[in-house]
Amino acid sequence: MRTIILALALSLPGVAFAAGSDSSEPPKPSEGTKKCWGKRVFDKETGKCIKPEQSSMNADELLEAARELAYLNRFEDSQAVLAALPNQTDSRVLTYWGFTNRKLGRTDLANEFYEQAIAQNPDNILARSYMAQGFVEKGYYGQALAQWKEIRARGGEGTWAEASLRQALETGVTVNY
């Protein structure tokens, strides 16, 4: 089965990794992730590393901090920041709950978050890509291919989400971000 899927994926035109939206490019470490360790964020108002729920950061800044921490493989720290976000049903927040749980080895829980993110926003191609990469890790290539097709059908061809999943389907190796 994998051979058929790989043959299909390889027969499609090559896709370059696109430097796209803020959710596709790996974040650059900020002052906060350089200075603060553990479940802390850098609060500009106080000039200190504090618990995320005590910070003056807005939701977008907290989400960006969670992304940075996840990219640095600080998944539990990232989850502490995610927990401080006011809208836990936001598709982007659910996506990163899924990502951090998958990286912590909690695949079933991760898929629950990805499914909630996709239910909230069916065009969330990043959630689809991350979920499908989990499928590749488990050897469920048919499910991964279905998500890859869905990403393309939703206008995601050429995006990082589509290209990274395509690479995972071709090689069996997933990417971290």
Side-chain angles (χ1 to χ4, degrees), residues 49-94:
C49 296
I50 61 174
K51 293 179 180 179
E53 62 273 10
Q54 297 172 341
S55 137
S56 64
M57 298 169 82
N58 66 36
D60 287 336
E61 292 168 330
L62 284 170
L63 185 61
E64 185 59 26
R67 287 184 67 239
E68 285 182 38
L69 292 167
Y71 182 69
L72 295 169
N73 297 325
R74 293 173 55 189
F75 305 118
E76 291 175 351
D77 295 344
S78 178
Q79 288 184 342
V81 177
L82 289 170
L85 285 159
N87 185 358
Q88 292 293 304
T89 61
D90 180 283
S91 181
R92 299 172 305 159
V93 174
L94 292 166

Side-chain angles (χ1 to χ4, degrees), residues 5 8 11 14 25-26 30-31 33 36-37 74 76 80 85 88 90 93 95 120 124 138 145 152 157 159 161 172:
I5 292 168
L8 173 63
S11 69
E25 293 181 10
S30 67
E31 184 177 14
T33 52
C36 302
W37 292 98
R74 293 173 55 189
E76 291 175 351
L85 285 159
Q88 292 293 304
D90 180 283
V93 174
T95 298
Q120 188 72 267
N124 184 336
K138 293 285 190 182
L145 182 61
R152 292 172 58 92
E157 184 174 357
T159 63

Side-chain angles (χ1 to χ4, degrees), residues 29-44:
S30 67
E31 184 177 14
T33 52
K34 290 177 186 175
K35 286 185 177 183
C36 302
W37 292 98
K39 296 170 175 60
R40 303 272 192 252
V41 294
F42 185 77
D43 186 74
K44 290 179 185 175

Side-chain angles (χ1 to χ4, degrees), residues 3 11 22 80:
T3 306
S11 69
D22 59 71

Side-chain angles (χ1 to χ4, degrees), residues 14-20 24 158-168 175 177:
V15 178
F17 283 84
S24 297
T159 63
W160 180 90
E162 186 263 345
S164 63
L165 178 52
R166 180 177 185 268
Q167 179 181 355
V175 295
Y177 215 85

Side-chain angles (χ1 to χ4, degrees), residues 56-157:
S56 64
M57 298 169 82
N58 66 36
D60 287 336
E61 292 168 330
L62 284 170
L63 185 61
E64 185 59 26
R67 287 184 67 239
E68 285 182 38
L69 292 167
Y71 182 69
L72 295 169
N73 297 325
R74 293 173 55 189
F75 305 118
E76 291 175 351
D77 295 344
S78 178
Q79 288 184 342
V81 177
L82 289 170
L85 285 159
N87 185 358
Q88 292 293 304
T89 61
D90 180 283
S91 181
R92 299 172 305 159
V93 174
L94 292 166
T95 298
Y96 280 96
W97 274 114
F99 180 80
T100 56
N101 276 294
R102 180 170 64 89
K103 290 302 183 176
L104 288 167
R106 304 175 193 136
T107 307
D108 291 340
L109 182 58
N111 286 341
E112 288 178 27
F113 282 111
Y114 292 138
E115 288 169 7
Q116 289 176 44
I118 293 166
Q120 188 72 267
N121 175 9
D123 292 329
N124 184 336
I125 61 174
L126 190 59
R128 290 180 181 283
S129 180
Y130 285 157
M131 181 170 63
Q133 290 191 41
F135 292 151
V136 169
E137 290 169 354
K138 293 285 190 182
Y140 304 145
Y141 290 93
Q143 289 174 283
L145 182 61
Q147 286 302 321
W148 178 72
K149 289 178 179 179
E150 193 66 32
I151 289 167
R152 292 172 58 92
R154 293 182 178 278
E157 184 174 357

